[in-house]
Amino acid sequence: NAGVTQTPKFQVLKTGQSMTLQCAQDMNHEYMSWYRQDPGMGLRLIHYSVGAGITDQGEVPNGYNVSRSTTEDFPLRLLSAAPSQTSVYFCASSLSTSTANYGYTFGSGTRLTVV
Amino acid sequence: GDSVTQMEGPVTLSEEAFLTINCTYTATGYPSLFWYVQYPGEGLQLLLKATKADDKGSNKGFEATYRKETTSFHLEKGSVQVSDSAVYFCALSGNQGGKLIFGQGTELSVKP
């Protein structure tokens, strides 16, 4: 049972480059989301999805795109990387939007540095 | 909007000391409340949760009680161990379609 798998674990980008952070879950979870973690700011929601074909913006969506073509995968795309996007990115999933009952499962994170 | 405020860290304790990490929240309605723990180099793991007022969540010796009158969900442990060293996040899930709102995290360091 792999849970939530994120790749890569580490990445260094130059300003202006684009890349995709991968997230996959094998638990048939409906709900998937991306957070960024910055010192002193906790985790902030970037984008989320309540099911295949449905995505929506979170608190800090600018500079990021997502899509959800399958239940299992929820990639996060950085369109033109900026130093302000240096952060640790976490993907999380839940069986449904009723997180009170099911909670979230987190991936191990991607540490991104933009130079 | 909904928000969570945690006490600032880092918190440094000696082994077997009593731990309290304060958490207060602002939310409409009746949110569910959570504590997550992040060990070095890892993702977040659910530590405990409470879904209604006066519920007590507990796990691995940690406890937290949902206090609606004070809008608080403080984390406590009677005797901490070195292995409890981690970052602890308080979070809520309110009326926003499953979104989790996190506090800023509190780093705990336990010395032998």
Side-chain angles (χ1 to χ4, degrees), chain A residues 39 62 88 100:
Chain A
N62 291 341
V88 182

Side-chain angles (χ1 to χ4, degrees), chain A residues 21-84:
Chain A
L21 280 63
Q22 302 291 344
C23 175
Q25 53 88 12
D26 61 357
M27 299 171 286
N28 201 32
H29 282 181
E30 288 183 354
Y31 186 93
M32 297 185 74
S33 54
W34 278 101
Y35 287 87
R36 59 178 289 173
Q37 181 181 20
D38 301 293
M41 303 188 74
L43 279 79
R44 293 180 292 169
L45 182 64
I46 305 172
H47 286 286
Y48 66 98
S49 168
V50 299
I54 306 169
T55 64
D56 207 346
Q57 296 181 352
E59 181 184 356
V60 287
N62 291 341
Y64 308 95
N65 273 357
V66 292
S67 60
R68 184 96 180 269
S69 56
T70 67
T71 300
E72 294 78 19
D73 299 300
F74 191 45
L76 178 72
R77 298 182 187 84
L78 279 70
L79 309 173
S80 177
S84 60

